[in-house]
Amino acid sequence: MHYRALPIVAVIMAILGLSAPAALAATPQAQHGPYHIMANSNHSVGIVYPGSGSDVYVSTSPGQSFVTYFKNHEWQIYNSGRNCLRMQDAHNGYTVLEEHGCSTSDESQLWYRYHANGLWQFENVATKQFLGVSCPAENGYGVRGVSESAGNCYNWTEVSVS
């Protein structure tokens, strides 16, 4: 009898219009936003989503960001088009890109989100680098992976968008 369980589940999923990967994907636990994620070192600049495949930067005209919790304190950061922030590895200078779509199995799109003294820090699961920018942040500066060292700003404020 237990050999028939998988085909039965597959038929039920097909009837409901679900694919196997969608049914087995991580279910969001909590979505927050929209926010402007603003640099703490300069509250007038925040994260911009320049288009899929492009390097992310900070601007005086920040984009709307959302954060969603999945599991193990892991979060995704994305815009209203559901394009995620993705951190590149060391060979690519820990640059941060806007990537089309989001995948909970791609650790470069997952972030540990820490709250400290009213500020937020986002540590990339894959690279262990913090989402950051050179200090003090200025309009047009690139967002990249940074360590906890002088000259790097990695504290952010989340300002609700009305």
Side-chain angles (χ1 to χ4, degrees), residues 7-77:
I8 292 170
V9 169
V11 169
I12 291 170
M13 288 171 42
I15 291 170
L16 295 175
L18 298 173
S19 65
L24 299 175
T27 303
Q29 302 296 317
Q31 178 183 1
H32 303 277
Y35 296 114
H36 291 306
I37 299 179
M38 309 299 286
N40 185 54
S41 65
N42 179 352
H43 292 185
S44 68
V45 295
I47 292 177
V48 171
Y49 294 84
S52 182
S54 299
D55 290 348
V56 174
Y57 60 94
V58 293
S59 169
T60 55
S61 299
Q64 290 186 4
S65 295
F66 298 83
V67 293
T68 297
Y69 173 76
F70 287 95
K71 60 181 171 123
N72 302 326
H73 305 285
E74 295 171 355
W75 295 75
Q76 286 182 320
I77 307 168

Side-chain angles (χ1 to χ4, degrees), residues 60-155:
T60 55
S61 299
Q64 290 186 4
S65 295
F66 298 83
V67 293
T68 297
Y69 173 76
F70 287 95
K71 60 181 171 123
N72 302 326
H73 305 285
E74 295 171 355
W75 295 75
Q76 286 182 320
I77 307 168
Y78 55 95
N79 67 2
S80 59
R82 194 86 174 134
N83 289 342
C84 272
L85 295 187
R86 179 181 193 279
M87 187 174 291
Q88 300 283 18
D89 60 19
H91 295 290
N92 293 297
Y94 296 118
T95 58
V96 176
L97 302 174
E98 176 184 348
E99 186 162 82
H100 179 71
C102 297
S103 170
T104 57
S105 63
D106 184 352
E107 288 188 342
S108 64
Q109 290 184 355
L110 297 174
W111 308 84
Y112 296 118
R113 182 177 183 230
Y114 307 109
H115 190 246
N117 301 321
L119 302 173
W120 293 98
Q121 298 172 351
F122 300 93
E123 181 184 21
N124 189 260
V125 172
T127 66
K128 306 301 183 230
Q129 297 291 306
F130 287 92
L131 185 69
V133 65
S134 294
C135 280
E138 297 292 333
N139 190 41
Y141 278 19
V143 175
R144 56 192 170 79
V146 301
S147 61
E148 298 177 273
S149 61
N152 292 327
C153 289
Y154 53 91
N155 290 311

